[in-house]
Short mmCIF file of all heavy atoms in Angstrom, two decimals:
data_model
loop_
_atom_site.label_atom_id
_atom_site.label_comp_id
_atom_site.label_asym_id
_atom_site.label_seq_id
_atom_site.Cartn_x
_atom_site.Cartn_y
_atom_site.Cartn_z
N MET A 18 -50.72 24.74 3.82
CA MET A 18 -50.31 23.61 3.03
C MET A 18 -49.85 24.09 1.67
O MET A 18 -50.49 24.93 1.06
CB MET A 18 -51.50 22.69 2.84
CG MET A 18 -52.01 22.13 4.12
SD MET A 18 -51.52 20.42 4.20
CE MET A 18 -52.86 19.73 5.09
N CYS A 19 -48.75 23.54 1.20
CA CYS A 19 -48.17 23.96 -0.08
C CYS A 19 -48.08 22.75 -1.03
O CYS A 19 -47.25 22.81 -1.92
CB CYS A 19 -46.81 24.56 0.15
SG CYS A 19 -46.91 26.12 1.03
N GLU A 20 -48.82 21.76 -0.86
CA GLU A 20 -48.78 20.62 -1.72
C GLU A 20 -49.36 20.99 -3.10
O GLU A 20 -50.27 21.78 -3.19
CB GLU A 20 -49.55 19.41 -1.17
CG GLU A 20 -48.98 18.84 0.09
CD GLU A 20 -49.41 19.58 1.33
OE1 GLU A 20 -50.39 20.38 1.26
OE2 GLU A 20 -48.77 19.43 2.39
N ALA A 21 -48.84 20.32 -4.13
CA ALA A 21 -49.29 20.62 -5.48
C ALA A 21 -50.17 19.44 -5.95
O ALA A 21 -50.16 18.37 -5.37
CB ALA A 21 -48.10 20.76 -6.42
N HIS A 22 -50.93 19.69 -6.97
CA HIS A 22 -51.75 18.68 -7.59
C HIS A 22 -51.07 18.24 -8.88
O HIS A 22 -50.54 19.07 -9.62
CB HIS A 22 -53.16 19.21 -7.89
CG HIS A 22 -53.86 19.78 -6.68
ND1 HIS A 22 -54.00 19.07 -5.52
CD2 HIS A 22 -54.36 21.00 -6.46
CE1 HIS A 22 -54.63 19.84 -4.61
NE2 HIS A 22 -54.84 21.02 -5.18
N ALA A 23 -51.08 16.93 -9.15
CA ALA A 23 -50.42 16.38 -10.32
C ALA A 23 -51.43 16.12 -11.43
O ALA A 23 -52.51 15.59 -11.21
CB ALA A 23 -49.70 15.08 -9.94
N PHE A 24 -51.00 16.53 -12.67
CA PHE A 24 -51.83 16.35 -13.84
C PHE A 24 -50.97 15.70 -14.91
O PHE A 24 -49.73 15.80 -14.91
CB PHE A 24 -52.28 17.70 -14.38
CG PHE A 24 -53.24 18.42 -13.47
CD1 PHE A 24 -52.74 19.18 -12.42
CD2 PHE A 24 -54.60 18.41 -13.70
CE1 PHE A 24 -53.60 19.86 -11.58
CE2 PHE A 24 -55.46 19.07 -12.86
CZ PHE A 24 -54.97 19.82 -11.80
N ILE A 25 -51.64 15.01 -15.88
CA ILE A 25 -50.94 14.47 -17.03
C ILE A 25 -51.61 14.98 -18.28
O ILE A 25 -52.83 15.08 -18.32
CB ILE A 25 -50.87 12.90 -16.99
CG1 ILE A 25 -49.92 12.40 -18.02
CG2 ILE A 25 -52.24 12.29 -17.11
CD1 ILE A 25 -49.45 10.97 -17.81
N CYS A 26 -50.80 15.30 -19.25
CA CYS A 26 -51.32 15.78 -20.53
C CYS A 26 -51.51 14.57 -21.48
O CYS A 26 -50.58 13.89 -21.83
CB CYS A 26 -50.31 16.76 -21.14
SG CYS A 26 -50.95 17.63 -22.55
N ARG A 27 -52.79 14.33 -21.79
CA ARG A 27 -53.14 13.24 -22.73
C ARG A 27 -54.06 13.80 -23.79
O ARG A 27 -55.07 14.39 -23.48
CB ARG A 27 -53.90 12.13 -22.00
CG ARG A 27 -53.03 11.34 -21.01
CD ARG A 27 -53.82 10.17 -20.46
NE ARG A 27 -52.94 9.38 -19.66
CZ ARG A 27 -53.24 8.88 -18.47
NH1 ARG A 27 -54.45 9.12 -17.92
NH2 ARG A 27 -52.38 8.15 -17.79
N ASN A 28 -53.68 13.59 -25.05
CA ASN A 28 -54.51 14.05 -26.17
C ASN A 28 -54.86 15.52 -26.06
O ASN A 28 -56.03 15.90 -26.23
CB ASN A 28 -55.77 13.21 -26.32
CG ASN A 28 -55.47 11.74 -26.50
OD1 ASN A 28 -54.55 11.38 -27.22
ND2 ASN A 28 -56.24 10.87 -25.85
N GLU A 29 -53.88 16.35 -25.71
CA GLU A 29 -54.05 17.79 -25.59
C GLU A 29 -54.97 18.23 -24.43
O GLU A 29 -55.37 19.35 -24.35
CB GLU A 29 -54.57 18.38 -26.90
CG GLU A 29 -53.74 18.06 -28.09
CD GLU A 29 -52.31 18.65 -28.04
OE1 GLU A 29 -52.16 19.81 -27.59
OE2 GLU A 29 -51.38 17.98 -28.46
N GLN A 30 -55.29 17.29 -23.56
CA GLN A 30 -56.15 17.55 -22.38
C GLN A 30 -55.36 17.29 -21.11
O GLN A 30 -54.54 16.36 -21.07
CB GLN A 30 -57.38 16.66 -22.40
CG GLN A 30 -58.27 16.77 -23.59
CD GLN A 30 -59.16 18.01 -23.52
OE1 GLN A 30 -59.24 18.68 -22.49
NE2 GLN A 30 -59.83 18.30 -24.61
N GLU A 31 -55.62 18.05 -20.07
CA GLU A 31 -54.99 17.81 -18.78
C GLU A 31 -55.93 16.99 -17.89
O GLU A 31 -57.08 17.38 -17.69
CB GLU A 31 -54.63 19.13 -18.09
CG GLU A 31 -53.52 19.86 -18.80
CD GLU A 31 -53.12 21.13 -18.09
OE1 GLU A 31 -53.57 21.42 -16.95
OE2 GLU A 31 -52.32 21.89 -18.70
N GLU A 32 -55.42 15.90 -17.38
CA GLU A 32 -56.20 15.00 -16.53
C GLU A 32 -55.58 14.94 -15.15
O GLU A 32 -54.36 14.73 -15.03
CB GLU A 32 -56.19 13.60 -17.16
CG GLU A 32 -56.87 12.52 -16.39
CD GLU A 32 -56.69 11.17 -17.04
OE1 GLU A 32 -56.80 11.10 -18.30
OE2 GLU A 32 -56.46 10.19 -16.31
N LYS A 33 -56.37 15.17 -14.10
CA LYS A 33 -55.82 15.16 -12.74
C LYS A 33 -55.46 13.74 -12.32
O LYS A 33 -56.24 12.81 -12.49
CB LYS A 33 -56.81 15.76 -11.76
CG LYS A 33 -56.18 15.93 -10.35
CD LYS A 33 -57.17 16.51 -9.35
CE LYS A 33 -57.34 17.99 -9.57
NZ LYS A 33 -58.14 18.63 -8.52
N LEU A 34 -54.23 13.57 -11.82
CA LEU A 34 -53.75 12.29 -11.36
C LEU A 34 -53.93 12.11 -9.88
O LEU A 34 -54.41 11.07 -9.40
CB LEU A 34 -52.28 12.09 -11.72
CG LEU A 34 -51.92 11.97 -13.18
CD1 LEU A 34 -50.40 12.02 -13.35
CD2 LEU A 34 -52.46 10.71 -13.75
N LEU A 35 -53.48 13.10 -9.10
CA LEU A 35 -53.43 12.99 -7.68
C LEU A 35 -53.39 14.37 -7.04
O LEU A 35 -52.69 15.26 -7.52
CB LEU A 35 -52.19 12.18 -7.27
CG LEU A 35 -52.10 11.61 -5.84
CD1 LEU A 35 -53.21 10.65 -5.58
CD2 LEU A 35 -50.75 10.94 -5.63
N GLU A 36 -54.17 14.55 -5.98
CA GLU A 36 -54.17 15.84 -5.27
C GLU A 36 -53.22 15.80 -4.08
O GLU A 36 -52.88 14.72 -3.58
CB GLU A 36 -55.58 16.12 -4.74
CG GLU A 36 -56.56 16.39 -5.86
CD GLU A 36 -57.91 16.83 -5.29
OE1 GLU A 36 -58.14 16.84 -4.07
OE2 GLU A 36 -58.78 17.19 -6.11
N SER A 37 -52.78 16.94 -3.67
CA SER A 37 -51.96 17.12 -2.47
C SER A 37 -50.68 16.28 -2.50
O SER A 37 -50.33 15.59 -1.54
CB SER A 37 -52.77 16.79 -1.19
OG SER A 37 -53.90 17.63 -1.13
N VAL A 38 -50.00 16.34 -3.66
CA VAL A 38 -48.77 15.57 -3.82
C VAL A 38 -47.68 16.10 -2.93
O VAL A 38 -47.44 17.31 -2.93
CB VAL A 38 -48.31 15.52 -5.29
CG1 VAL A 38 -46.97 14.84 -5.45
CG2 VAL A 38 -49.38 14.85 -6.15
N ASP A 39 -47.04 15.26 -2.21
CA ASP A 39 -45.97 15.65 -1.26
C ASP A 39 -44.60 15.17 -1.74
O ASP A 39 -43.59 15.78 -1.50
CB ASP A 39 -46.28 15.07 0.12
CG ASP A 39 -45.68 15.86 1.25
OD1 ASP A 39 -45.44 17.06 1.07
OD2 ASP A 39 -45.47 15.27 2.29
N ILE A 40 -44.58 14.02 -2.44
CA ILE A 40 -43.32 13.39 -2.90
C ILE A 40 -43.45 13.03 -4.37
O ILE A 40 -44.42 12.41 -4.78
CB ILE A 40 -42.97 12.14 -2.05
CG1 ILE A 40 -42.76 12.51 -0.62
CG2 ILE A 40 -41.71 11.47 -2.64
CD1 ILE A 40 -42.63 11.31 0.32
N VAL A 41 -42.42 13.36 -5.15
CA VAL A 41 -42.31 12.95 -6.56
C VAL A 41 -40.97 12.30 -6.70
O VAL A 41 -39.92 12.90 -6.47
CB VAL A 41 -42.41 14.15 -7.53
CG1 VAL A 41 -42.21 13.71 -8.96
CG2 VAL A 41 -43.73 14.89 -7.36
N GLU A 42 -40.98 10.99 -7.10
CA GLU A 42 -39.75 10.25 -7.35
C GLU A 42 -39.67 9.95 -8.84
O GLU A 42 -40.57 9.33 -9.38
CB GLU A 42 -39.72 8.98 -6.56
CG GLU A 42 -39.70 9.17 -5.04
CD GLU A 42 -39.75 7.87 -4.25
OE1 GLU A 42 -39.89 6.80 -4.84
OE2 GLU A 42 -39.65 7.94 -3.02
N ILE A 43 -38.59 10.42 -9.47
CA ILE A 43 -38.42 10.21 -10.91
C ILE A 43 -37.25 9.31 -11.13
O ILE A 43 -36.14 9.52 -10.66
CB ILE A 43 -38.20 11.57 -11.62
CG1 ILE A 43 -39.42 12.47 -11.41
CG2 ILE A 43 -37.94 11.34 -13.10
CD1 ILE A 43 -39.29 13.86 -11.94
N GLU A 44 -37.51 8.24 -11.93
CA GLU A 44 -36.44 7.28 -12.32
C GLU A 44 -36.58 6.99 -13.79
O GLU A 44 -37.46 6.25 -14.23
CB GLU A 44 -36.61 5.99 -11.51
CG GLU A 44 -35.40 5.09 -11.64
CD GLU A 44 -35.47 3.96 -10.66
OE1 GLU A 44 -35.65 4.20 -9.47
OE2 GLU A 44 -35.33 2.82 -11.13
N VAL A 45 -35.76 7.64 -14.58
CA VAL A 45 -35.76 7.58 -16.08
C VAL A 45 -37.13 7.98 -16.60
O VAL A 45 -37.45 9.14 -16.58
CB VAL A 45 -35.29 6.20 -16.58
CG1 VAL A 45 -35.17 6.22 -18.10
CG2 VAL A 45 -33.97 5.77 -15.96
N ASP A 46 -37.93 7.00 -17.02
CA ASP A 46 -39.30 7.34 -17.58
C ASP A 46 -40.41 7.02 -16.61
O ASP A 46 -41.58 7.20 -17.00
CB ASP A 46 -39.49 6.56 -18.88
CG ASP A 46 -38.56 7.00 -19.98
OD1 ASP A 46 -38.14 8.17 -19.94
OD2 ASP A 46 -38.27 6.17 -20.86
N ASP A 47 -40.12 6.54 -15.43
CA ASP A 47 -41.16 6.20 -14.49
C ASP A 47 -41.22 7.26 -13.39
O ASP A 47 -40.19 7.76 -12.92
CB ASP A 47 -40.89 4.85 -13.83
CG ASP A 47 -40.92 3.72 -14.82
OD1 ASP A 47 -41.78 3.76 -15.71
OD2 ASP A 47 -40.12 2.77 -14.72
N VAL A 48 -42.42 7.61 -12.98
CA VAL A 48 -42.62 8.63 -11.94
C VAL A 48 -43.55 8.04 -10.89
O VAL A 48 -44.60 7.47 -11.20
CB VAL A 48 -43.27 9.88 -12.52
CG1 VAL A 48 -43.51 10.92 -11.42
CG2 VAL A 48 -42.42 10.49 -13.64
N LYS A 49 -43.16 8.17 -9.63
CA LYS A 49 -44.00 7.73 -8.52
C LYS A 49 -44.41 8.96 -7.74
O LYS A 49 -43.58 9.78 -7.38
CB LYS A 49 -43.19 6.78 -7.59
CG LYS A 49 -43.97 6.24 -6.42
CD LYS A 49 -43.07 5.30 -5.65
CE LYS A 49 -43.79 4.72 -4.44
NZ LYS A 49 -42.89 3.87 -3.67
N LEU A 50 -45.72 9.08 -7.54
CA LEU A 50 -46.31 10.22 -6.80
C LEU A 50 -46.89 9.70 -5.50
O LEU A 50 -47.58 8.67 -5.45
CB LEU A 50 -47.44 10.84 -7.62
CG LEU A 50 -47.07 11.29 -9.06
CD1 LEU A 50 -48.34 11.62 -9.82
CD2 LEU A 50 -46.11 12.43 -9.05
N ILE A 51 -46.63 10.44 -4.42
CA ILE A 51 -47.20 10.08 -3.10
C ILE A 51 -47.77 11.34 -2.53
O ILE A 51 -47.12 12.39 -2.48
CB ILE A 51 -46.09 9.52 -2.16
CG1 ILE A 51 -45.40 8.33 -2.81
CG2 ILE A 51 -46.69 9.13 -0.82
CD1 ILE A 51 -44.16 7.89 -2.09
N ASN A 52 -49.03 11.25 -2.05
CA ASN A 52 -49.67 12.45 -1.48
C ASN A 52 -49.60 12.41 0.06
O ASN A 52 -49.11 11.47 0.65
CB ASN A 52 -51.06 12.67 -2.02
CG ASN A 52 -52.11 11.70 -1.49
OD1 ASN A 52 -51.83 10.89 -0.64
ND2 ASN A 52 -53.29 11.81 -2.04
N ILE A 53 -50.12 13.43 0.65
CA ILE A 53 -50.02 13.60 2.13
C ILE A 53 -50.83 12.55 2.86
O ILE A 53 -50.64 12.32 4.05
CB ILE A 53 -50.45 15.02 2.58
CG1 ILE A 53 -51.89 15.29 2.19
CG2 ILE A 53 -49.52 16.03 2.04
CD1 ILE A 53 -52.43 16.61 2.74
N PHE A 54 -51.73 11.85 2.16
CA PHE A 54 -52.53 10.81 2.78
C PHE A 54 -51.97 9.41 2.60
O PHE A 54 -52.57 8.43 2.96
CB PHE A 54 -53.98 10.84 2.22
CG PHE A 54 -54.59 12.23 2.31
CD1 PHE A 54 -54.79 12.99 1.18
CD2 PHE A 54 -54.95 12.79 3.54
CE1 PHE A 54 -55.34 14.25 1.24
CE2 PHE A 54 -55.50 14.07 3.61
CZ PHE A 54 -55.68 14.80 2.47
N GLY A 55 -50.81 9.32 1.90
CA GLY A 55 -50.15 8.06 1.67
C GLY A 55 -50.60 7.36 0.38
O GLY A 55 -50.12 6.29 0.05
N GLU A 56 -51.55 8.00 -0.37
CA GLU A 56 -51.98 7.44 -1.66
C GLU A 56 -50.80 7.54 -2.63
O GLU A 56 -50.05 8.52 -2.60
CB GLU A 56 -53.14 8.19 -2.22
CG GLU A 56 -54.39 8.09 -1.40
CD GLU A 56 -55.49 8.99 -1.93
OE1 GLU A 56 -55.38 10.21 -1.81
OE2 GLU A 56 -56.45 8.43 -2.53
N GLN A 57 -50.65 6.51 -3.50
CA GLN A 57 -49.56 6.48 -4.43
C GLN A 57 -50.06 6.20 -5.84
O GLN A 57 -51.05 5.48 -6.02
CB GLN A 57 -48.55 5.37 -4.07
CG GLN A 57 -47.91 5.54 -2.74
CD GLN A 57 -46.90 4.45 -2.46
OE1 GLN A 57 -46.36 3.82 -3.37
NE2 GLN A 57 -46.61 4.23 -1.19
N LYS A 58 -49.36 6.75 -6.82
CA LYS A 58 -49.60 6.47 -8.22
C LYS A 58 -48.28 6.35 -8.92
O LYS A 58 -47.35 7.09 -8.60
CB LYS A 58 -50.39 7.61 -8.88
CG LYS A 58 -51.84 7.65 -8.48
CD LYS A 58 -52.69 7.84 -9.68
CE LYS A 58 -54.12 7.79 -9.19
NZ LYS A 58 -55.11 7.85 -10.17
N ALA A 59 -48.18 5.42 -9.87
CA ALA A 59 -47.00 5.26 -10.72
C ALA A 59 -47.42 5.48 -12.12
O ALA A 59 -48.43 4.92 -12.59
CB ALA A 59 -46.37 3.91 -10.50
N ILE A 60 -46.63 6.28 -12.86
CA ILE A 60 -46.95 6.56 -14.24
C ILE A 60 -45.68 6.53 -15.10
O ILE A 60 -44.56 6.69 -14.58
CB ILE A 60 -47.61 7.98 -14.41
CG1 ILE A 60 -46.72 9.07 -13.83
CG2 ILE A 60 -48.99 7.97 -13.76
CD1 ILE A 60 -47.21 10.50 -14.10
N ARG A 61 -45.87 6.30 -16.40
CA ARG A 61 -44.75 6.40 -17.36
C ARG A 61 -44.92 7.77 -18.02
O ARG A 61 -45.80 7.91 -18.87
CB ARG A 61 -44.80 5.24 -18.39
CG ARG A 61 -44.38 3.94 -17.76
CD ARG A 61 -44.10 2.87 -18.81
NE ARG A 61 -43.14 3.19 -19.80
CZ ARG A 61 -41.82 3.16 -19.69
NH1 ARG A 61 -41.29 2.82 -18.52
NH2 ARG A 61 -41.03 3.44 -20.69
N ALA A 62 -44.13 8.65 -17.60
CA ALA A 62 -44.21 10.02 -18.09
C ALA A 62 -42.94 10.77 -17.82
O ALA A 62 -42.04 10.29 -17.14
CB ALA A 62 -45.40 10.70 -17.39
N ARG A 63 -42.93 12.01 -18.30
CA ARG A 63 -41.79 12.88 -18.01
C ARG A 63 -42.39 14.19 -17.52
O ARG A 63 -43.48 14.61 -17.89
CB ARG A 63 -40.88 13.09 -19.19
CG ARG A 63 -41.52 13.81 -20.33
CD ARG A 63 -40.56 13.97 -21.47
NE ARG A 63 -41.27 14.59 -22.59
CZ ARG A 63 -40.68 15.14 -23.58
NH1 ARG A 63 -39.36 15.18 -23.64
NH2 ARG A 63 -41.37 15.63 -24.57
N LEU A 64 -41.63 14.86 -16.71
CA LEU A 64 -42.06 16.14 -16.15
C LEU A 64 -42.06 17.21 -17.25
O LEU A 64 -41.06 17.40 -17.96
CB LEU A 64 -41.15 16.60 -15.05
CG LEU A 64 -41.47 17.91 -14.32
CD1 LEU A 64 -42.82 17.83 -13.67
CD2 LEU A 64 -40.40 18.28 -13.35
N LYS A 65 -43.18 17.87 -17.44
CA LYS A 65 -43.29 18.90 -18.46
C LYS A 65 -43.15 20.27 -17.83
O LYS A 65 -42.47 21.14 -18.34
CB LYS A 65 -44.62 18.81 -19.17
CG LYS A 65 -44.80 19.77 -20.32
CD LYS A 65 -46.06 19.48 -21.10
CE LYS A 65 -46.15 20.46 -22.27
NZ LYS A 65 -47.32 20.16 -23.09
N ARG A 66 -43.88 20.50 -16.69
CA ARG A 66 -43.79 21.80 -16.03
C ARG A 66 -44.21 21.70 -14.56
O ARG A 66 -45.11 20.93 -14.20
CB ARG A 66 -44.74 22.76 -16.79
CG ARG A 66 -44.75 24.16 -16.19
CD ARG A 66 -45.63 25.14 -16.97
NE ARG A 66 -47.02 24.69 -17.03
CZ ARG A 66 -47.70 24.41 -18.16
NH1 ARG A 66 -47.06 24.51 -19.29
NH2 ARG A 66 -48.92 24.04 -18.14
N TYR A 67 -43.58 22.50 -13.72
CA TYR A 67 -43.97 22.65 -12.35
C TYR A 67 -44.22 24.11 -12.14
O TYR A 67 -43.36 24.94 -12.35
CB TYR A 67 -42.89 22.14 -11.39
CG TYR A 67 -43.21 22.47 -9.94
CD1 TYR A 67 -44.20 21.78 -9.29
CD2 TYR A 67 -42.50 23.45 -9.28
CE1 TYR A 67 -44.51 22.09 -7.95
CE2 TYR A 67 -42.81 23.79 -7.98
CZ TYR A 67 -43.81 23.10 -7.31
OH TYR A 67 -44.14 23.40 -6.00
N ASP A 68 -45.41 24.47 -11.65
CA ASP A 68 -45.77 25.86 -11.45
C ASP A 68 -46.20 26.00 -9.96
O ASP A 68 -47.31 25.61 -9.62
CB ASP A 68 -46.89 26.27 -12.36
CG ASP A 68 -47.24 27.74 -12.30
OD1 ASP A 68 -46.93 28.40 -11.28
OD2 ASP A 68 -47.85 28.24 -13.26
N ASN A 69 -45.32 26.55 -9.17
CA ASN A 69 -45.60 26.68 -7.73
C ASN A 69 -46.72 27.71 -7.48
O ASN A 69 -47.47 27.55 -6.50
CB ASN A 69 -44.33 27.08 -6.98
CG ASN A 69 -44.52 26.96 -5.49
OD1 ASN A 69 -44.95 25.93 -4.99
ND2 ASN A 69 -44.20 28.01 -4.77
N THR A 70 -46.86 28.68 -8.32
CA THR A 70 -47.91 29.72 -8.09
C THR A 70 -49.32 29.12 -8.28
O THR A 70 -50.26 29.55 -7.66
CB THR A 70 -47.75 30.91 -9.06
OG1 THR A 70 -47.84 30.45 -10.41
CG2 THR A 70 -46.43 31.62 -8.83
N GLN A 71 -49.43 28.08 -9.11
CA GLN A 71 -50.67 27.39 -9.30
C GLN A 71 -50.79 26.09 -8.53
O GLN A 71 -51.78 25.39 -8.62
CB GLN A 71 -50.92 27.15 -10.80
CG GLN A 71 -51.14 28.37 -11.59
CD GLN A 71 -51.46 28.06 -13.06
OE1 GLN A 71 -51.73 26.94 -13.43
NE2 GLN A 71 -51.47 29.07 -13.86
N ARG A 72 -49.68 25.77 -7.85
CA ARG A 72 -49.60 24.50 -7.13
C ARG A 72 -49.91 23.32 -8.07
O ARG A 72 -50.79 22.48 -7.80
CB ARG A 72 -50.54 24.48 -5.94
CG ARG A 72 -50.16 25.52 -4.88
CD ARG A 72 -51.07 25.54 -3.73
NE ARG A 72 -51.75 24.29 -3.49
CZ ARG A 72 -52.73 24.10 -2.61
NH1 ARG A 72 -53.12 25.12 -1.90
NH2 ARG A 72 -53.29 22.95 -2.45
N LYS A 73 -49.19 23.29 -9.20
CA LYS A 73 -49.50 22.32 -10.26
C LYS A 73 -48.24 21.67 -10.80
O LYS A 73 -47.29 22.34 -11.13
CB LYS A 73 -50.22 23.09 -11.37
CG LYS A 73 -50.70 22.25 -12.52
CD LYS A 73 -51.44 23.15 -13.49
CE LYS A 73 -52.15 22.39 -14.56
NZ LYS A 73 -52.88 23.29 -15.49
N ILE A 74 -48.28 20.34 -10.90
CA ILE A 74 -47.22 19.58 -11.51
C ILE A 74 -47.80 18.97 -12.74
O ILE A 74 -48.80 18.22 -12.66
CB ILE A 74 -46.71 18.43 -10.56
CG1 ILE A 74 -46.32 19.01 -9.18
CG2 ILE A 74 -45.51 17.72 -11.18
CD1 ILE A 74 -46.16 17.92 -8.12
N LEU A 75 -47.22 19.22 -13.89
CA LEU A 75 -47.74 18.71 -15.15
C LEU A 75 -46.76 17.73 -15.78
O LEU A 75 -45.59 18.05 -15.95
CB LEU A 75 -48.03 19.86 -16.12
CG LEU A 75 -48.62 19.49 -17.47
CD1 LEU A 75 -49.98 18.79 -17.28
CD2 LEU A 75 -48.74 20.70 -18.37
N PHE A 76 -47.26 16.54 -16.11
CA PHE A 76 -46.46 15.51 -16.74
C PHE A 76 -46.95 15.29 -18.16
O PHE A 76 -48.11 15.58 -18.48
CB PHE A 76 -46.60 14.18 -15.97
CG PHE A 76 -45.97 14.26 -14.62
CD1 PHE A 76 -46.73 14.53 -13.51
CD2 PHE A 76 -44.61 14.02 -14.42
CE1 PHE A 76 -46.18 14.57 -12.24
CE2 PHE A 76 -44.06 14.08 -13.16
CZ PHE A 76 -44.82 14.39 -12.07
N GLU A 77 -46.04 14.78 -19.00
CA GLU A 77 -46.39 14.47 -20.37
C GLU A 77 -46.30 12.98 -20.52
O GLU A 77 -45.28 12.33 -20.17
CB GLU A 77 -45.40 15.15 -21.31
CG GLU A 77 -45.70 15.01 -22.74
CD GLU A 77 -44.82 15.88 -23.59
OE1 GLU A 77 -43.59 15.86 -23.39
OE2 GLU A 77 -45.34 16.62 -24.45
N GLU A 78 -47.38 12.35 -21.00
CA GLU A 78 -47.46 10.92 -21.16
C GLU A 78 -46.41 10.43 -22.19
O GLU A 78 -46.23 11.05 -23.23
CB GLU A 78 -48.86 10.51 -21.60
CG GLU A 78 -49.09 9.04 -21.60
CD GLU A 78 -50.55 8.73 -21.90
OE1 GLU A 78 -51.13 9.30 -22.84
OE2 GLU A 78 -51.11 7.88 -21.18
N LEU A 79 -45.78 9.31 -21.95
CA LEU A 79 -44.82 8.71 -22.87
C LEU A 79 -45.50 7.62 -23.68
O LEU A 79 -46.44 7.04 -23.29
CB LEU A 79 -43.63 8.13 -22.15
CG LEU A 79 -42.78 9.15 -21.43
CD1 LEU A 79 -41.65 8.46 -20.73
CD2 LEU A 79 -42.19 10.17 -22.41
#
């Protein structure tokens, strides 16, 4: 499995949003995350960094 975990940076801290993210849909300032179990989260953020070696997607809160 190569799914990544999604985090958001809030107040200089990283908070886990969703594990095993399979789909990331970005539309201007809105991001929709869907994991392998069908769980979904929608956030107002922008992509800050994706690190495949750590299986980590980091977003910055808007």
Side-chain angles (χ1 to χ4, degrees):
M18 297 254 211
C19 293
E20 295 83 15
H22 305 304
F24 294 82
I25 191 162
C26 189
R27 290 186 174 136
N28 302 320
E29 305 296 321
Q30 301 280 352
E31 291 182 9
E32 176 184 320
K33 188 181 283 188
L34 293 171
L35 195 61
E36 292 187 356
S37 302
V38 174
D39 206 25
I40 299 171
V41 177
E42 295 178 356
I43 299 174
E44 191 171 307
V45 186
D46 294 333
D47 296 322
V48 179
K49 182 178 178 182
L50 306 169
I51 305 169
N52 72 6
I53 60 173
F54 308 109
E56 296 174 288
Q57 298 183 23
K58 286 225 177 184
I60 57 172
R61 287 192 56 79
R63 65 180 175 163
L64 180 63
K65 185 173 182 177
R66 181 177 58 241
Y67 172 72
D68 186 339
N69 192 51
T70 61
Q71 293 185 10
R72 295 179 26 189
K73 184 176 188 179
I74 308 167
L75 181 61
F76 294 95
E77 187 171 48
E78 188 174 46
L79 294 178

